[in-house]
Amino acid sequence: MFHALVSIKQVPDTTNIRIDPETNNLIRQGVPTILNPYDAHAVAAAVEWKRKLNGKVTIITMGPPAAVTSLRECIEMGADRAILISARQFAGADTWATSYVLTEVIKAVHAEDPIDLIFFGKQAIDGDTAQVGPGVAVRMNLPVVSYAVKIHDVNLEERSVIIERKTENRNEVIKANLPAALTCEKDIAEIPYASLPDLVYSLRYEPEVWTAEGPITFDPAQLGLKGSPTTVFKTGTPEKHVAGEIIKTAELGVDAAVKAALDKILGVEGMASMLGVKK
Ligand SMILES: Cc1cc2nc3c(=O)[nH]c(=O)nc-3n(C[C@H](O)[C@H](O)[C@H](O)COP(=O)(O)OP(=O)(O)OC[C@H]3O[C@@H](n4cnc5c(N)ncnc54)[C@H](O)[C@@H]3O)c2cc1C
């Protein structure tokens, strides 16, 4: 039987992230949360293949108790089981510590019920690093196909999957052995309308809660802030580009326009010495 696992993250419902200037952490108070959009499409793809191959879908997330709402949303989309990994020891994790926890959980689920495909979103719209999916795949020694836009085939007998991925200027079609991991673009699948039974089931669904104490054992040194080798040192918004100035030869004449342009360029601090010109 086909078994897909989707790793999802609950994120603030905005691309306009507000950062605490003191701590450099996200300000979460007062910001509504959503299922990370790329993850929603990954869940849709997993459910599509579950229906094609008569399988099942497990969802996991590491996050605060409120992430239960995102897990229920995945159940509403047709997933079968959901696990919330939540404890104060996991807080403040960077992508290294996040991928450690997710890997340990995925290994435990896999040992009890072998997984064929592990889905991630392309990136989370808050942290934006796109490191967690590949990080888990490397820790598990699995093939990973990033920026996936289409799953062409899953062959459970041959133990292979054919996935199309997007690159900057062309698409690539890749065959990988199962189990494999993929990080998904939104094109991977359309979000389906929930069926009435799935909707009703999701309203009452209580996800399993896994903590630092169990049901599996984690190395405490690798959790949360303590297990995170990176910290966000500084954040800021890039300066807005101002519109360029147009110097019109029709108004000034060619010579004066060229001189005016040169004066502007050489007036930029450091430009004259960079170009080797004496002002
Ligand atoms: C502004 C800002 C900058 C940051 N920069 C860095 C940085 O440079 N380096 C760093 O290590 N950390 C950074 N972090 C911390 C980062 O939020 C956490 O490491 C986070 O747990 C995962 O990183 P991400 O959000 O970038 O996820 P991504 O790697 O972008 O997420 C990709 C996919 O991984 C899965 N995933 C991600 N998080 C979880 C989760 N908690 N549970 C289940 N699945 C998950 C989802 O499928 C998601 O679509 C930053 C945070 C902020 C707010």
Side-chain angles (χ1 to χ4, degrees), residues 6-218:
V6 193
S7 185
I8 62 123
K9 184 179 183 189
Q10 190 178 57
V11 292
D13 184 10
T14 174
T15 41
N16 189 10
I17 302 288
R18 286 186 306 135
I19 308 287
D20 184 323
E22 298 272 303
T23 62
N24 280 324
N25 282 334
L26 254 182
I27 300 171
R28 290 184 182 273
Q29 284 92 336
V31 183
T33 51
I34 52 165
L35 171 59
N36 183 43
Y38 296 104
D39 304 358
H41 288 267
V43 174
V47 168
E48 198 176 295
W49 282 90
K50 152 195 153 155
R51 293 195 172 131
K52 277 187 193 158
L53 299 173
N54 187 27
K56 62 179 147 183
V57 174
T58 300
I59 309 287
I60 62 168
T61 190
M62 184 180 90
V68 164
T69 51
S70 290
L71 292 175
R72 287 208 182 101
E73 204 180 314
C74 300
I75 298 288
E76 186 185 317
M77 284 167 70
D80 302 275
R81 178 186 180 193
I83 302 172
L84 171 67
I85 310 145
S86 191
R88 111 196 108 65
Q89 292 94 321
F90 301 131
D94 68 359
T95 54
W96 179 261
T98 302
S99 63
Y100 164 70
V101 170
L102 297 177
T103 300
E104 294 307 301
V105 171
I106 295 170
K107 278 187 192 162
V109 172
H110 183 67
E112 149 198 328
D113 196 356
I115 299 164
D116 301 297
L117 270 182
I118 305 173
F119 291 74
F120 297 89
K122 169 178 89 163
Q123 69 194 67
I125 60 165
D126 56 350
D128 267 335
T129 66
Q131 291 173 358
V132 170
V136 171
V138 167
R139 284 178 183 275
M140 295 187 70
N141 201 18
L142 291 180
V144 58
V145 181
S146 54
Y147 306 108
V149 288
K150 188 174 170 142
I151 301 173
H152 286 272
D153 190 33
V154 179
N155 189 326
L156 294 177
E157 270 155 38
E158 201 189 274
R159 303 295 303 148
S160 66
V161 59
I162 298 176
I163 301 173
E164 188 167 338
R165 72 184 291 268
K166 193 166 106 175
T167 71
E168 229 163 75
N169 43 24
R170 68 206 163 102
N171 283 10
E172 295 171 343
V173 179
I174 297 198
K175 188 171 181 180
N177 291 337
L178 296 177
L182 65 158
T183 76
C184 301
E185 295 274 1
K186 290 183 185 170
D187 309 327
I188 197 82
E190 290 288 327
I191 311 241
Y193 287 107
S195 70
L196 193 60
D198 284 338
L199 180 65
V200 172
Y201 181 57
S202 73
L203 292 174
R204 292 202 210 110
Y205 186 84
E206 284 302 332
E208 294 160 47
V209 181
W210 291 25
T211 70
E213 271 80 45
I216 61 169
T217 314
F218 297 96

Side-chain angles (χ1 to χ4, degrees), residues 76 121 210 251 275 278:
E76 186 185 317
W210 291 25
E251 285 169 12
L275 297 173
K278 272 199 186 141

